[in-house]
Amino acid sequence: MWLLLVILAVPLIEIGLFVQIGGWIGMWATIGWVILSAMLGMIVLRGVASGGPVAISRDMHEFRDPLSPLAHRVMVVLGGGLLILPGFLTDAIGLLLLLPPVRQIIITLIGRRLQKARGTTVHTTIIEGEWHEVEPPDQPGRERPPSEWTRH
């Protein structure tokens, strides 16, 4: 439900911000901002793409935890992608994701939430055993009575 609200709210907020901020700074400045932020987003994504595999392999080779640098790279990629999208709200969020302290706060919050989710486990009881089916001895000339389970 939250995702649906975000999908509906973000374009409406962007339209409102375009009208308000575009009215203050003018049409050409608004178009210039959209183009410059998209170019910055492409530069960020190109930088992550060119340096990412080398840094990940270096972290693995030095036996450092690759998850934190990987999480930072994911946030930078998300920030670069948001900068490419036209809009003042997405640009603001994208620029915030490029700041290392903001990324660290978000990663810490996500880590705490995952710790809580991992802490809630369902305990089940498993009883192991062996079984084998015993066939009743056949007695010639005598029919077997129906089972208690099949009798109606």
Side-chain angles (χ1 to χ4, degrees), residues 52-67 69 73:
V54 174
I56 290 174
S57 66
R58 184 184 62 234
D59 291 340
M60 295 285 271
H61 183 67
E62 294 175 0
F63 297 107
R64 286 194 288 176
D65 182 20
L67 294 180
R73 283 187 199 94

Side-chain angles (χ1 to χ4, degrees), residues 134-138 144:
V134 177
E135 294 287 330
D138 287 336
R144 287 190 218 155

Side-chain angles (χ1 to χ4, degrees), residues 30-63:
T30 303
I31 292 172
W33 174 262
V34 170
I35 292 171
L36 286 175
S37 68
M39 288 172 54
L40 177 64
M42 287 188 280
I43 290 169
V44 167
L45 291 178
R46 185 175 293 143
V48 171
S50 65
V54 174
I56 290 174
S57 66
R58 184 184 62 234
D59 291 340
M60 295 285 271
H61 183 67
E62 294 175 0
F63 297 107

Side-chain angles (χ1 to χ4, degrees), residues 33-127:
W33 174 262
V34 170
I35 292 171
L36 286 175
S37 68
M39 288 172 54
L40 177 64
M42 287 188 280
I43 290 169
V44 167
L45 291 178
R46 185 175 293 143
V48 171
S50 65
V54 174
I56 290 174
S57 66
R58 184 184 62 234
D59 291 340
M60 295 285 271
H61 183 67
E62 294 175 0
F63 297 107
R64 286 194 288 176
D65 182 20
L67 294 180
S68 181
L70 186 62
H72 279 277
R73 283 187 199 94
V74 167
M75 294 286 180
V76 170
V77 167
L78 184 60
L82 288 173
L83 283 172
I84 291 174
L85 293 175
F88 291 106
L89 176 66
T90 54
D91 288 347
I93 295 170
L95 287 172
L96 285 174
L97 288 176
L98 295 181
L99 300 173
V102 174
R103 290 195 310 259
Q104 189 59 48
I105 291 170
I106 293 171
I107 291 169
T108 303
L109 291 174
I110 291 172
R112 286 183 189 162
R113 184 157 182 140
L114 289 176
Q115 286 286 339
K116 287 181 185 177
R118 191 182 334 163
T120 58
T121 59
V122 177
H123 297 285
T124 58
T125 304
I126 299 173
I127 301 174

